[in-house]
Amino acid sequence: MKRIVIILLILLVGAIGLDLYFDEITGAKRPDEAAVNAPAKPAEQQVQTPPEVLPPVEPQTKPDKPVVVQEVPQPRPLPEKPHSAEHEAALQVAQAVQPDAVPEDLEQMVQSGRISPEAAAAVREWAQAHGVAKVEEIGTDAAGADGSKQTRYRLVSKDGVQDLLLTVETPREGQAAVSRVEEVAADKALVTQQSDALSVVSAFMEAVRRGDMGAARRMTSGKEVSDATLAGLCMLFEEGDFSMRRQLPIRNMFASENNRGYMVYMSPQDAEAAQSRHIGIELTRDAEKGWMVKAVALDDLLNRYEATAEAEGGMYFPIVKNPQGGDSLVLYFGFNDALLSPRSLRQLKIVASLLRESKGDLSITGHTDDIGTDSYNQSLSERRAEAVKNALIDYGVNPAQISTRGMGKSQPLRVYHTGDTQQTIRTIRSGNRRAEIYLDF
């Protein structure tokens, strides 16, 4: 019993000690009995006012200085999409010297190696004097001694006085850059003794494009390129069937010290034509006259023309081999007719321009098909030859330069055979109704 009492005392003392320890730790005060038994205050008196909160103090800073944003000049879009690095360089040069360009445009090209400093200065001076209207592609020239590719472009002037040739050089390894410039006459058919071979080819094609046989003839060496070939080439352009390809129309094929060979690419006006055609041109260097056209190969072009051209009176190209040697220009007539068609008159106008300049003589022969009597065909062939002569006289050719002769049906260009279709026979006969002009003099 005594043991139990002792244990209870110990537990009571421990409980009192723990309670005092808790109050010491938490800082809580035990409410006295009066407080416990006091009546409760009204609810609004129990609401505690929150402590006053001061607004945050913003840090005092100095006012910001205005920020100046420097605009980085952006290259202006080119007038057309370049198809090669060389073409892009030429377009950039033309763009950099437009009136609204800034000097930095061209200077950036110099710094990046896209144009030599000398060429840049020459382009700027030329553009200030003449202005840039557009960029035209000429073609590729013989490779340099180091194997670099050379491409030529023409900056066409606004005033039509002096154009500028750009030579863009592309090394075997490295970027394309404008290495050389040259001022030339705005007339694309003019050349000088100092003109390089590519310039001569370009001028020659411009002369035949506009039907200037006299200018084209002055660029040929001797009689190796016949007058009939020149006339036929002029007529190809005059007929409107072909034009020079816009993208790099001239391409160098071979080169030596005194000889150059080029391919000139022609685009048919008919958008549905299978493919473009070409003309081969060979040049030789004359000690006194410079580069001259030595030979012109039209075979590829003639094949396409013969197959598709709808020539009045027959599907024929206006050049044939003459029995005397050389070539003759041919004009075609309708059945039983001695009237010249509008196409033939246009061709004769080209021939007349050459005759007025050369003062040479020419002979005209008239021909017929095999229908009708010999006497009637003889008379018809003479009237056809006279019709050609009269047209040339109307175009200013001296009558004393022209001789005529009727051959009747004795010299057909082509003959038909037993078993040929009626269509074949009609085509052959239409080709024999003609007048030939022998131009080699």
Side-chain angles (χ1 to χ4, degrees):
M1 184 67 179
K2 187 184 288 186
R3 183 180 293 176
I4 294 174
V5 174
I6 293 171
I7 293 172
L8 289 175
L9 289 173
I10 293 171
L11 292 175
L12 178 60
V13 172
I16 293 172
L18 288 173
D19 190 36
L20 294 173
Y21 178 75
F22 176 79
D23 290 342
E24 183 73 21
I25 295 299
T26 63
K29 295 183 177 180
R30 294 174 63 84
D32 55 22
E33 186 176 348
V36 173
N37 296 325
K41 293 182 179 181
E44 60 272 10
Q45 294 182 8
Q46 295 181 356
V47 177
Q48 299 181 359
T49 302
E52 184 177 357
V53 180
L54 297 176
V57 178
E58 297 183 0
Q60 295 183 358
T61 59
K62 297 180 179 180
D64 293 335
K65 294 181 179 180
V67 178
V68 179
V69 179
Q70 294 184 351
E71 296 184 1
V72 179
Q74 298 295 325
R76 292 175 299 160
L78 296 173
E80 58 182 292
K81 184 178 180 181
H83 56 77
S84 66
E86 293 79 15
H87 188 209
E88 182 179 25
L91 292 174
Q92 287 178 340
V93 169
Q95 191 80 305
V97 292
Q98 292 292 346
D100 57 346
V102 294
E104 287 76 10
D105 289 345
L106 195 59
E107 185 61 30
Q108 286 178 359
M109 291 192 67
V110 175
Q111 296 299 326
S112 62
R114 300 300 302 277
I115 186 172
S116 69
E118 297 78 12
V123 172
R124 184 180 286 112
E125 182 180 354
W126 170 85
Q128 291 174 349
H130 304 285
V132 184
K134 60 180 178 178
V135 178
E136 289 185 352
E137 303 187 42
I138 297 177
T140 63
D141 206 354
D146 57 354
S148 60
K149 181 174 71 171
Q150 297 182 359
T151 312
R152 183 74 52 76
Y153 298 88
R154 176 186 285 262
L155 299 188
V156 179
S157 60
K158 287 184 177 180
D159 62 7
V161 177
Q162 289 287 108
D163 290 350
L164 194 70
L165 298 182
L166 303 181
T167 298
V168 182
E169 193 163 342
T170 308
R172 288 184 179 273
E173 296 182 2
Q175 66 176 347
V178 179
S179 60
R180 189 172 70 255
V181 300
E182 176 188 359
E183 288 195 33
V184 294
D187 186 346
K188 301 174 187 177
L190 292 180
V191 292
T192 66
Q193 183 179 355
Q194 290 72 35
S195 298
D196 59 30
L198 180 58
S199 295
V200 173
V201 174
S202 179
F204 177 79
M205 293 306 302
E206 173 64 19
V208 297
R209 184 196 67 80
R210 64 194 193 193
D212 191 345
M213 279 189 63
R217 196 165 186 263
R218 287 191 293 272
M219 299 180 212
T220 62
S221 59
K223 294 185 178 181
E224 295 180 81
V225 180
S226 72
D227 296 318
T229 297
L230 291 179
L233 193 52
C234 290
M235 291 169 192
L236 275 178
F237 282 97
E238 190 276 333
E239 288 292 320
D241 192 47
F242 283 94
S243 62
M244 289 184 66
R245 190 175 71 181
R246 183 171 176 268
Q247 180 177 323
L248 294 178
I250 305 173
R251 179 185 176 191
N252 176 258
M253 303 303 294
F254 65 86
S256 64
E257 182 179 357
N258 294 313
N259 290 90
R260 292 281 194 278
Y262 294 87
M263 200 71 76
V264 179
Y265 293 92
M266 312 291 291
S267 294
Q269 298 294 342
D270 181 6
E272 298 181 357
Q275 60 183 2
S276 61
R277 299 292 173 174
H278 56 264
I279 301 170
I281 297 181
E282 182 181 355
L283 293 89
T284 184
R285 189 200 297 270
D286 184 271
E288 296 181 358
K289 299 180 180 179
W291 288 101
M292 306 288 288
V293 176
K294 178 182 179 182
V296 177
L298 300 175
D299 294 347
D300 182 72
L301 205 62
L302 300 186
N303 292 337
R304 199 268 179 183
Y305 189 94
E306 282 192 297
T308 61
E310 295 183 355
E312 298 165 19
M315 297 176 62
Y316 303 96
F317 188 78
I319 297 176
V320 297
K321 293 297 180 183
N322 189 282
Q324 305 173 39
D327 298 323
S328 289
L329 180 67
V330 183
L331 306 174
Y332 298 97
F333 294 85
F335 175 72
N336 197 30
D337 196 354
L339 296 176
L340 290 166
S341 67
R343 174 177 181 264
S344 295
L345 290 172
R346 293 194 301 269
Q347 293 173 340
L348 287 175
K349 191 173 183 180
I350 295 173
V351 176
S353 66
L354 176 65
L355 292 175
R356 289 195 304 268
E357 179 176 321
S358 68
K359 307 300 182 182
D361 296 332
L362 80 162
S363 61
I364 303 172
T365 57
H367 304 266
T368 69
D369 60 22
D370 62 329
I371 299 176
T373 64
D374 290 348
S375 60
Y376 181 83
N377 281 322
Q378 179 63 32
S379 174
L380 179 60
S381 66
E382 291 173 358
R383 287 189 283 123
R384 285 174 174 170
E386 285 295 318
V388 175
K389 175 182 179 179
N390 293 334
L392 290 173
I393 294 172
D394 289 341
Y395 286 133
V397 179
N398 187 346
Q401 293 180 254
I402 308 170
S403 63
T404 62
R405 185 170 51 153
M407 307 303 297
K409 58 182 179 181
S410 63
Q411 293 184 359
L413 279 179
R414 299 173 61 190
V415 295
Y416 55 87
H417 305 281
T418 303
D420 286 343
T421 65
Q422 288 300 311
Q423 179 60 44
T424 299
I425 294 173
R426 284 195 296 269
T427 300
I428 291 174
R429 281 173 170 167
S430 66
N432 289 329
R433 303 172 194 137
R434 70 196 194 279
E436 294 186 15
I437 306 173
Y438 187 60
L439 291 174
D440 286 338
F441 45 75

